[in-house]
Amino acid sequence: MLKKILPALGTEPIDRIHTISIIIRSFKGRKNVEAHLFRSDVPESELPSTILHQRIDTDTEKYALEPHLTGTLEDTQRMVLESFTEKERDTILRYLEQRYHTRLKSVSTAPLTFPVPQGTIPLASIPEGKSIGFIRFHAVPNYPLDFNFSGFYDLELHEPNMI
């Protein structure tokens, strides 16, 4: 399993900045499926953070030509809060390496870039469909971590496995 870890600069305004993506060798009849991991139990109490609000670029006119930026300020706050702390990131990396190393082609991590444009939506808010869904790691028997995380995937973006 290849690991690509981009470190934070150390000047980020908050601790919850780390994103994680994995490439699964074979998943639901598709090969090399990318899944974006996210914290799936964001407490409501974390939303009203003034520091977090100050790190979101609310100049929506600047992003008027970005049709995918349809979320509200609260959506963007939730998206940031779906990220992981450095400790959580490292815990997930160890867990994936121990439990899924033969199934994963790679794991990539990177810090968020600030300010985050308003309009970005949280992964948890995307509705599941025929090809879009979630891997609920915390629902696996004997899940050992003290926080929950899930993975978002879209099978339409990946080639079918050849028989």
Side-chain angles (χ1 to χ4, degrees):
M1 173 176 84
L2 177 65
K3 288 194 280 187
K4 300 176 212 166
I5 302 171
L6 289 176
L9 298 174
T11 57
E12 291 78 12
I14 58 175
D15 293 336
R16 192 164 293 290
I17 60 166
H18 298 278
T19 63
I20 305 173
S21 294
I22 60 175
I23 304 292
I24 307 166
R25 293 181 193 281
S26 180
F27 183 72
K28 295 193 174 198
R30 301 290 176 142
K31 64 182 177 180
N32 298 324
V33 174
E34 184 173 26
H36 301 281
L37 308 186
F38 62 97
R39 189 169 70 134
S40 52
D41 57 355
V42 176
E44 291 291 322
S45 61
E46 292 183 25
L47 278 174
S49 168
T50 304
I51 293 171
L52 179 57
H53 180 77
Q54 293 170 346
R55 303 311 181 230
I56 296 172
D57 186 350
T58 57
D59 183 1
T60 54
E61 287 186 26
K62 187 188 304 183
Y63 304 104
L65 297 177
E66 302 285 340
H68 63 281
L69 295 177
T70 59
T72 65
L73 179 61
E74 184 179 311
D75 287 335
T76 305
Q77 289 173 311
R78 284 184 187 280
M79 183 280 303
V80 172
L81 292 172
E82 285 181 337
S83 301
F84 303 102
T85 64
E86 183 175 3
K87 182 179 177 184
E88 290 168 343
R89 178 203 65 189
D90 293 346
T91 299
I92 290 171
L93 291 176
R94 281 190 300 277
Y95 173 70
L96 293 172
E97 193 165 40
Q98 290 169 358
R99 188 158 189 165
Y100 298 105
H101 70 276
T102 60
R103 296 180 188 150
L104 299 180
K105 186 173 185 176
S106 67
V107 176
S108 302
T109 74
L112 290 173
T113 302
F114 291 94
V116 176
Q118 180 179 324
T120 310
I121 61 170
L123 292 172
S125 71
I126 299 172
E128 290 189 88
K130 184 176 180 181
S131 70
I132 293 175
F134 298 100
I135 304 166
R136 292 170 179 82
F137 288 92
H138 55 276
V140 174
N142 301 316
Y143 179 76
L145 306 183
D146 61 355
F147 60 92
N148 295 336
F149 75 97
S150 295
F152 166 79
Y153 63 85
D154 183 350
L155 296 176
E156 286 293 317
L157 300 177
H158 307 285
E159 296 179 43
N161 282 331
M162 301 304 277
I163 298 176

